[in-house]
Amino acid sequence: MRVVTKIGEMQNIVDDLRRDKRIVSLVPTMGYLHDGHLSLMKIARQNSDIVIVSIFVNPTQFAPHEDFGSYPRDIAGDTKLANSAGVDFLFTPEKNEIYPADYATFVDVDEITEKLEGKSRPTHFRGVATIVTKLFNIAKPHVAIFGQKDAQQALVIKKIVFDLNFGIKIIIAPTIREKDGLAMSSRNSYLTKEQRQESPVLYESLTEASKMISGGITDCLTIKEKMIKLISMKQSAKIDYISIADSTDLEEVDVLQKGGTYLISLAVKFGNTRLIDNIIQTI
Ligand code: PAF
């Protein structure tokens, strides 16, 4: 595995690879790699000749009061993991390489970014859209892989690829969970013992919603009330939002319709740690 830190070097490498007709994939990450990331790399491997993983804790997707400073980082451990996962190139630029002092260009995606996560984190998707666009121009992949855990991010990225004509195939990989159902996330490392014990309630409440829907309940308020009840039983949990929305435009729905596909998603704070999770359900 070759570690690359400069944009120009990464672009030259990919230009040569593409000239040699190699299929290139990119797995963008913010590091502190876990099994969820490794599953993305595996899918990248299956869909390309050359796998590039990027590690960059992107400051523009964090609001000033959020956890950019404390976001977990372990570049030495990540390098070992990526190497043993068979990654070909690890792109780990410094902050100034990506955002020099006079940096001024941002990518804004309308509408879909204004809901759910966008309501709670109004500047988040501008940062995500900007860094992902830059990474696409740097790594010039044929294929890029993202996780379903960040369901709205996945939709935003597909929109960018379509609207800006990137011609990149986007693969959304299933969420990888701990044995007790907690979706894997680098932020899980913030949880105290008590919070960690209570955190599986997120997936439990989503599973309960899914069971209710399979059992014929179509009234979203009834489903949400049950989810709220389950989560509120946990002392350290504070709900930010629970949503049942159309899976393509994220419009909130009141009554589920036969044939519809819905994104059931939530954001819950355990102390200062904000976790998100979701499932997709077709009825
Ligand atoms: O999903 C993430 O880890 C980040 O939002 C991403 C896509 C790497 C952009 O910084």
Side-chain angles (χ1 to χ4, degrees), residues 28-30 37 56 58 61 124 128 131-132 146 150 153 157:
T29 83
M30 297 206 299
H37 295 114
F56 181 66
N58 173 38
Q61 70 189 73
H124 173 66
V128 170
I131 189 64
V132 169
F146 297 85
D150 296 299
Q153 169 173 283
I157 288 162

Side-chain angles (χ1 to χ4, degrees), residues 179-192:
K179 278 199 188 71
D180 60 13
L182 178 65
M184 287 196 187
S185 162
S186 307
R187 289 194 169 98
N188 293 349
S189 63
Y190 297 145
L191 297 171
T192 64

Side-chain angles (χ1 to χ4, degrees), residues 213 245-247 256-263 280-283:
I213 295 167
D246 181 282
S247 68
L256 304 176
Q257 307 291 341
K258 227 177 168 51
T261 300
Y262 300 99
L263 177 74
I280 291 207
Q281 179 115 356
T282 302
I283 69 162

Side-chain angles (χ1 to χ4, degrees), residues 10-270:
M10 191 74 254
Q11 286 174 320
N12 288 339
I13 290 169
V14 181
D15 285 347
D16 287 347
L17 290 166
R18 291 184 75 114
R19 210 171 297 120
D20 291 345
K21 303 275 179 258
R22 313 303 293 277
I23 302 295
V24 178
S25 63
L26 172 68
V27 180
T29 83
M30 297 206 299
Y32 213 66
L33 302 177
H34 50 65
D35 284 354
H37 295 114
L38 294 181
S39 80
L40 305 183
M41 293 174 203
K42 204 167 153 191
I43 293 171
R45 183 87 277 156
Q46 290 160 353
N47 284 276
S48 64
D49 304 315
I50 302 292
V51 177
I52 303 174
V53 170
S54 64
I55 296 182
F56 181 66
V57 185
N58 173 38
T60 60
Q61 70 189 73
F62 293 82
H65 65 279
E66 292 182 346
D67 58 341
F68 173 70
S70 58
Y71 196 85
R73 292 161 169 90
D74 177 12
I75 196 68
D78 285 351
T79 305
K80 273 193 199 148
L81 264 180
N83 190 32
S84 52
V87 169
D88 298 294
F89 295 94
L90 187 64
F91 180 58
T92 59
E94 291 292 334
K95 194 170 127 190
N96 283 349
E97 179 73 4
I98 296 291
Y99 299 117
D102 58 350
Y103 190 83
T105 305
F106 291 88
V107 178
D108 265 312
V109 180
D110 286 348
E111 288 187 18
I112 199 140
T113 56
E114 285 149 27
K115 300 155 189 173
L116 306 177
E117 285 299 286
K119 262 192 201 151
S120 302
R121 308 180 70 191
T123 57
H124 173 66
F125 287 117
R126 182 182 201 239
V128 170
T130 301
I131 189 64
V132 169
T133 300
K134 284 175 69 73
L135 289 169
F136 285 169
N137 284 326
I138 295 165
K140 308 180 197 184
H142 298 91
V143 186
I145 299 95
F146 297 85
Q148 173 60 30
K149 188 180 76 74
D150 296 299
Q152 190 174 8
Q153 169 173 283
L155 291 176
V156 171
I157 288 162
K158 283 183 177 169
K159 190 81 181 106
I160 296 171
V161 167
F162 183 79
D163 285 355
L164 298 184
N165 315 103
F166 267 110
I168 297 170
K169 180 178 170 187
I170 301 298
I171 300 178
I172 305 304
T175 302
I176 304 295
R177 300 181 179 282
E178 304 286 355
K179 278 199 188 71
D180 60 13
L182 178 65
M184 287 196 187
S185 162
S186 307
R187 289 194 169 98
N188 293 349
S189 63
Y190 297 145
L191 297 171
T192 64
K193 201 166 161 226
E194 191 213 355
Q195 292 165 353
R196 176 64 189 83
Q197 274 166 3
E198 294 193 331
S199 59
V201 74
L202 303 189
Y203 190 53
E204 277 163 34
S205 70
L206 291 167
T207 310
E208 182 60 31
S210 172
K211 276 190 206 148
M212 289 172 84
I213 295 167
S214 303
I217 296 175
T218 55
D219 176 52
C220 294
L221 200 62
T222 310
I223 300 165
K224 285 181 190 172
E225 273 169 6
K226 178 73 186 182
M227 293 173 76
I228 292 170
K229 199 170 162 201
L230 279 173
I231 297 169
S232 306
M233 276 157 59
K234 305 296 178 190
Q235 272 202 333
S236 62
K238 194 167 167 285
I239 296 169
D240 181 352
Y241 67 77
I242 291 179
S243 157
I244 303 178
D246 181 282
S247 68
T248 50
D249 62 12
L250 302 184
E251 274 304 316
E252 212 57 30
V253 288
D254 296 329
V255 180
L256 304 176
Q257 307 291 341
K258 227 177 168 51
T261 300
Y262 300 99
L263 177 74
I264 310 172
S265 65
L266 42 71
V268 175
K269 277 187 100 175
F270 292 87

